[in-house]
Amino acid sequence: MASTVSDFGLSCGILPGGARNAITDVPGIRVGHCTLRNGDTNTGVTAILPHGGNLFRKKVTAASHVINGFGKTIGLTQVQELGTIETPVLLTNTLSVGTCATALIRDAIRQNPDIGRSAGTVNPLVGECNDGPLNDIQALAISEEHVLAALADAHEGEVEQGNVGAGTGMTCFGFKGGIGSASRRIALGGGHHLGVLVLSNFGRPGDLVLPDGRRPDPGQPAGVERGSVMIVLATDVPLEHRQLERVARRAGAGIARLGSFWGHGSGDIAIAFSTGNLVDHDESRDLVPLLALNEARIDILFRAAAEATHEAVLNSMLSAGAFTGRAGKHRASLADWLRDQQR
Amino acid sequence: MASTVSDFGLSCGILPGGARNAITDVPGIRVGHCTLRNGDTNTGVTAILPHGGNLFRKKVTAASHVINGFGKTIGLTQVQELGTIETPVLLTNTLSVGTCATALIRDAIRQNPDIGRSAGTVNPLVGECNDGPLNDIQALAISEEHVLAALADAHEGEVEQGNVGAGTGMTCFGFKGGIGSASRRIALGGGHHLGVLVLSNFGRPGDLVLPDGRRPDPGQPAGVERGSVMIVLATDVPLEHRQLERVARRAGAGIARLGSFWGHGSGDIAIAFSTGNLVDHDESRDLVPLLALNEARIDILFRAAAEATHEAVLNSMLSAGAFTGRAGKHRASLADWLRDQQR
Amino acid sequence: MASTVSDFGLSCGILPGGARNAITDVPGIRVGHCTLRNGDTNTGVTAILPHGGNLFRKKVTAASHVINGFGKTIGLTQVQELGTIETPVLLTNTLSVGTCATALIRDAIRQNPDIGRSAGTVNPLVGECNDGPLNDIQALAISEEHVLAALADAHEGEVEQGNVGAGTGMTCFGFKGGIGSASRRIALGGGHHLGVLVLSNFGRPGDLVLPDGRRPDPGQPAGVERGSVMIVLATDVPLEHRQLERVARRAGAGIARLGSFWGHGSGDIAIAFSTGNLVDHDESRDLVPLLALNEARIDILFRAAAEATHEAVLNSMLSAGAFTGRAGKHRASLADWLRDQQR
Amino acid sequence: MASTVSDFGLSCGILPGGARNAITDVPGIRVGHCTLRNGDTNTGVTAILPHGGNLFRKKVTAASHVINGFGKTIGLTQVQELGTIETPVLLTNTLSVGTCATALIRDAIRQNPDIGRSAGTVNPLVGECNDGPLNDIQALAISEEHVLAALADAHEGEVEQGNVGAGTGMTCFGFKGGIGSASRRIALGGGHHLGVLVLSNFGRPGDLVLPDGRRPDPGQPAGVERGSVMIVLATDVPLEHRQLERVARRAGAGIARLGSFWGHGSGDIAIAFSTGNLVDHDESRDLVPLLALNEARIDILFRAAAEATHEAVLNSMLSAGAFTGRAGKHRASLADWLRDQQR
């Protein structure tokens, strides 16, 4: 079970969390990991599936927001134009985006033999952070099989956090980073959730500020930030693309509350999707009924996005044990630092 | 009755036009003008009302696209964020945007006394072109009364084109420009229209290419382009903001087909709205049902936007008689040039 | 002399402030106010002049960033296209943008009689917040003369903060808001500054978090946020448009650190300019030499933008005394709250 | 030698072309192809190298513009944020982007062993069109070796056009499309060029309009557009990112002049770079001198971008012989159609 901010008496905001305090509080969402730890190889793949069916046939409404664009994500152009996601969302290390995209394509063709024939092509969506310090990233260790393993591992329920999947070799504010998740209940239209999953790999040592004002010291030189953070936001509130883009933008507020200023060398990218309005690839009607949120009620989603992003990053660090990676490089655990403080 | 491309044996594309071949083919749309012609003052105001009711209370879904941003339009920031228009759309000369915005605000407060009190503020939307060559633009001749006159003149049915309203003193490819309109029938969901109204004031003399390949000579030195074009697109097809933004973008294709390359000094701005999904300012539900177009059917709207923009600009020039403005500056009529060619 | 965070033992970040801790630490910048306090009228105009010369003739390099676009600023389209500012930057109340724009136009014509004749038109830049709760905003009390008074008042040196100029009737997190400023020294290329001036009018009561973690209670119902914040960033570091846009974006981090999530109803807009590369309106060369920052060194500017925005908002509140406005509505002073805490 | 519009008595605009009428008229640019033709496999890779040195160490200034974002290009996010290109620009089929990106990464590491260690990561830039109708795109036939072959083939001078490299299996307005190039001389600052290379794969049969008004019939059913076009623009005029973005946008005007309305299913993406200001990865100065174009002179570049894009697409079709691809699907040659007309 992942350690979370509440285990350490911290809180990020005022909205109540979901039952699992994870992106999987949004019904249907599945998360899977493939973790590689072998000598200097410390990396992996994390897959987020918006639902359990054929994602190409039943696309989810989506949007993205680039907080800082020093990043190599593939797939954003089409997400912004068409407002949909049609594959799993993969997270991995920076130099493995190409391999992951190819694996997603092959998997989509397997499920939809008309792709590239009668049905157009498919838009793979893969985000990344640079785990170079702790992982031999030049080895390009991720293969298409690792992607299939992460997809096969995807499940509802508990989300494994910390040093798993794409988070295996990540660093955050000089501490060990990785995969983190959090959620908020949304008191709208009968009850909904907004959930966030992050791959945390950003922040200069010394810049982290806890919700109570403390500034943990990771025992690392401050140096130049060269990290990144991928933020995936999911909700079952029906939102149109423009509304999702507004929600995605608020992830940046969550990151800023941690003490980050969205550093130059960091690829800080948010992707948001809603399972509330599926888009049928084979839609036969000219005009399609859908639901959209009354815009005057959107603040609760903005607040939830900022709070859950803030908390998901902290959860990623609190779930990640101390780690020694490539060339003996060590990263302390924020959980250890907090436990030391409590003594 | 306005002269149009078909009167001269020209055509812009393949889709059929609406009954009036004007933006008012979209049900509910009203257009009004206030024209100032007095000595060196040759300018005016044109108002487009998306419907005949209270626009602040029942907003239309909207989007804009900046083709080239050397322009002073007010209101676009909020249109892009919220995806709605909540006042009439005004067109005028460049230096009168402020006065027109203030007049829209006062008119909105008159209709909605809660504005600036309990209801937030209102976002006036005013576009402009520089009629400086033919109008003493430094005189700032437009007053708030002129705006009210244009609003009072707004009516369904026939759209007065050419040297009227904001179009009074405009120049296009060295010929007389002004107000032009065109429409296309949209064979979707029971039958709809897309209509366009332009304020044409762009294009270097010599660059105009007619649909049949002819290049009319306005008898003006080529010089530097310092014009602009405002393009307002309306449809009753229900579209969400993202889809409207995609439609608005295609206005640029229509402008390019005239021989323009969207010159540096030109403020070329498209605003698109749909009357198909009104947004209730006082909406009480959390989730609102709406209709959106099946994206796979959107090409007909793209084609219509390009064709109708192309044709509306030509119609603006064909409806505009030869004109002598400030300091004796003369602009020939494209209609006269075409009639000369037919002899 | 304005109260600032350091008077209360608070600090926003780690970079040293400039000598005045104000936007005027950037050489040449002038700030002026015109304040209207008369019965229910509590509003005004604030002018920021990037330098003391003819701004139309010698434009400053500029960019803007829309954090949340529920706002009515005029002038952003051209700033983004051309990357320059060519008038003073005005701040005022939401419904007075039109009048302020007209006043800027007339002032620019007075200085440059070729505007609207041989020199093209001029792009007025006016930002706004809604002071409706404390000011009878429906009265549209700002006249062109008030703009001229703010321009005439503009001076280097000390910046008057709090309940002055456009800040007169503003509210921030339920406390009295207004005009605030801060600066940071930039240890690059011989020594430079980045300065920020804000018009603060945002934030839900109860959401404000101080740098030390305290959450001040303004004694106001939380309600719905309907505010805004305008952030003007200036630097003498030579930056190109793209770099300025990146710097402007970081203002959002400063706002988020205060506890805001950039609420739906808030027009949160940042405008950044550099005095390091003036653009000559009458430039005769084809290619123009300029200086740009080595991008690898830009983090200090990002950090400065976040820190100085954070601090400028707090300074606006700490400089603003308790205030009773329209219809007897009262706003407490954050400075009073802090003094009470110290007792 | 490629057939071009002038061989058929056509012309696209008024500016003079360069000596080779190709992107290689810009000094230093290299183009290489790897072509796969084997049974149902008809595809390839085209590489554009901005200069002959280490592109990661000496980056070129760059920008992109998404005309229509139904496309899977990788690398645009970072190009827009940092304003540079640091690898060759590759073009290929839609499903091979991942493999091409991985190959670029490996090639960059080979040249720069500090990538992923001390030097951050590298941003591969790969564009694509869907050659599915003529190529067995599901086979994912492109391997990293094919990329290396295209890179090894890159050379200055003549550009092979038509059915080569990435253009092998492409279709344009129902005719055979492929690789095309054109250039314009730029009479600025001592003499410069703007060159364009396109991968043409867009346009509905029947929509093509020649510069003289003729509408060639490819003998194909009109159907739904599912194409794309990649447009790479290069110049040795020193331009900053914002100016390059403005130039890139004008590629859309060239595409529109061909009769396209930038169809829904088309990924129409322009990438522009300038060799006039190289960005040194290892720059040691804080402030870097560079040259930028006097913005008032930029219209010649806009006109050149529209004209050369227009012409490059026609050249791609005129250089492409009739072709029979996957499953016996045939595409006529526009050159043959024109020769038939001349008889």
Side-chain angles (χ1 to χ4, degrees), chain A residues 6-215:
Chain A
S6 59
D7 299 332
F8 293 93
L10 300 170
S11 80
C12 300
I14 59 175
L15 294 174
R20 292 185 197 102
N21 195 28
I23 193 171
T24 48
D25 284 319
V26 180
I29 308 272
R30 286 142 169 85
V31 176
H33 301 291
C34 175
T35 304
L36 279 75
R37 289 193 60 172
N38 181 14
D40 277 355
T41 295
N42 296 289
T43 191
V45 179
T46 294
I48 300 119
L49 280 62
H51 62 69
N54 185 322
L55 291 163
F56 184 75
R57 243 62 213 183
K58 302 282 185 188
K59 307 174 205 287
V60 288
T61 310
S64 68
H65 174 68
V66 176
I67 303 169
N68 189 58
F70 200 136
K72 284 81 175 172
T73 295
I74 189 171
L76 298 183
T77 303
Q78 187 163 318
V79 168
Q80 287 306 96
E81 182 76 35
L82 303 184
T84 53
I85 291 175
E86 59 187 18
T87 67
V89 183
L90 296 188
L91 306 175
T92 189
N93 75 57
T94 309
L95 304 189
S96 296
V97 169
T99 299
C100 288
T102 303
L104 283 180
I105 288 169
R106 260 195 256 270
D107 189 59
I109 292 173
R110 192 185 50 75
Q111 293 181 57
N112 305 277
D114 53 349
I115 288 177
R117 301 285 197 243
S118 58
T121 51
V122 63
N123 183 50
L125 184 54
V126 187
E128 50 74 35
C129 296
N130 177 10
D131 55 14
L134 298 184
N135 173 44
D136 177 11
I137 194 171
Q138 290 191 346
L140 275 66
I142 303 289
S143 70
E144 295 187 38
E145 287 66 38
H146 297 128
V147 174
L148 296 181
L151 294 174
D153 180 56
H155 56 276
E156 300 184 271
E158 183 92 3
V159 174
E160 209 183 349
Q161 300 181 44
N163 301 333
V164 292
T168 305
M170 301 295 170
T171 300
C172 196
F173 291 106
F175 289 98
K176 187 64 185 66
I179 297 291
S181 198
S183 72
R184 291 294 182 269
R185 291 186 198 164
I186 307 295
L188 285 173
H192 289 277
H193 286 83
L194 179 139
V196 170
L197 184 145
V198 301
L199 176 63
S200 73
N201 189 50
F202 68 104
R204 224 187 51 146
D207 280 355
L208 177 65
V209 184
L210 296 180
D212 57 11
R214 282 181 293 171
R215 294 180 158 272

Side-chain angles (χ1 to χ4, degrees), chain A residues 306-322:
Chain A
E307 289 188 4
T309 300
H310 185 179
E311 182 170 338
V313 172
L314 289 174
N315 288 347
S316 77
M317 300 169 77
L318 295 173
S319 301

Side-chain angles (χ1 to χ4, degrees), chain B residues 225-246:
Chain B
E225 180 170 350
R226 232 185 239 122
S228 283
V229 59
M230 292 297 310
I231 306 142
V232 180
L233 305 101
T235 185
D236 53 347
V237 178
L239 299 174
E240 58 173 72
H241 168 78
R242 184 186 50 74
Q243 295 177 322
L244 281 165
E245 197 279 329
R246 298 186 79 198

Side-chain angles (χ1 to χ4, degrees), chain C residues 27-228:
Chain C
I29 309 272
R30 287 142 168 86
V31 176
H33 300 291
C34 174
T35 303
L36 279 74
R37 289 194 61 173
N38 181 15
D40 276 357
T41 294
N42 297 290
T43 192
V45 179
T46 295
I48 299 120
L49 280 62
H51 62 70
N54 185 322
L55 291 163
F56 184 75
R57 243 64 214 183
K58 301 284 185 187
K59 308 174 204 288
V60 287
T61 310
S64 67
H65 175 68
V66 176
I67 303 169
N68 189 58
F70 202 135
K72 285 81 175 172
T73 295
I74 189 170
L76 297 183
T77 303
Q78 187 162 319
V79 167
Q80 287 305 95
E81 182 76 34
L82 302 185
T84 54
I85 292 176
E86 59 187 19
T87 67
V89 183
L90 296 188
L91 306 176
T92 188
N93 75 58
T94 310
L95 304 189
S96 296
V97 169
T99 299
C100 287
T102 304
L104 282 180
I105 288 169
R106 259 195 255 273
D107 189 59
I109 292 174
R110 190 183 52 72
Q111 292 181 55
N112 305 278
D114 53 349
I115 287 177
R117 301 284 196 244
S118 57
T121 51
V122 63
N123 183 50
L125 184 53
V126 188
E128 51 73 36
C129 295
N130 177 8
D131 54 15
L134 298 184
N135 172 45
D136 178 10
I137 193 170
Q138 289 190 348
L140 274 66
I142 303 288
S143 69
E144 295 187 39
E145 286 66 37
H146 298 128
V147 174
L148 296 181
L151 294 174
D153 180 56
H155 57 275
E156 298 184 270
E158 184 93 0
V159 174
E160 210 183 349
Q161 299 180 45
N163 302 334
V164 291
T168 304
M170 300 297 168
T171 299
C172 196
F173 290 106
F175 290 98
K176 187 65 186 64
I179 296 291
S181 198
S183 73
R184 290 295 181 269
R185 291 186 198 164
I186 306 295
L188 285 172
H192 290 276
H193 287 83
L194 179 139
V196 170
L197 185 145
V198 301
L199 175 63
S200 73
N201 190 50
F202 68 104
R204 224 186 51 143
D207 279 356
L208 176 64
V209 184
L210 296 181
D212 57 11
R214 282 182 291 171
R215 293 181 158 271
D217 173 11
Q220 296 278 336
V224 170
E225 180 172 351
R226 232 185 239 121
S228 282

Side-chain angles (χ1 to χ4, degrees), chain D residues 24-88:
Chain D
T24 47
D25 283 319
V26 180
I29 308 272
R30 286 143 169 84
V31 176
H33 301 290
C34 174
T35 304
L36 278 75
R37 290 195 59 174
N38 180 16
D40 277 356
T41 295
N42 297 289
T43 192
V45 179
T46 294
I48 299 119
L49 280 62
H51 61 70
N54 185 322
L55 291 163
F56 183 75
R57 243 64 214 183
K58 301 282 186 187
K59 307 174 204 289
V60 288
T61 310
S64 67
H65 174 68
V66 176
I67 303 169
N68 190 58
F70 202 135
K72 285 82 175 170
T73 295
I74 189 172
L76 298 183
T77 302
Q78 187 163 320
V79 168
Q80 286 306 95
E81 182 77 34
L82 302 185
T84 54
I85 292 175
E86 59 188 18
T87 67

Side-chain angles (χ1 to χ4, degrees), chain A residues 239-259:
Chain A
L239 299 174
E240 59 173 74
H241 168 79
R242 183 185 51 75
Q243 295 177 322
L244 281 164
E245 196 279 330
R246 299 186 80 198
V247 171
R249 224 184 296 161
R250 269 64 191 183
I255 300 299
R257 290 177 185 179
L258 290 152

Side-chain angles (χ1 to χ4, degrees), chain B residues 31-53:
Chain B
V31 176
H33 300 291
C34 174
T35 304
L36 278 74
R37 290 194 59 174
N38 180 16
D40 276 358
T41 295
N42 297 288
T43 192
V45 179
T46 293
I48 300 120
L49 280 62
H51 61 69

Side-chain angles (χ1 to χ4, degrees), chain B residues 163-185:
Chain B
N163 301 334
V164 292
T168 304
M170 301 295 169
T171 300
C172 196
F173 291 107
F175 290 97
K176 187 65 185 65
I179 297 291
S181 198
S183 73
R184 291 295 182 270
R185 291 185 198 165

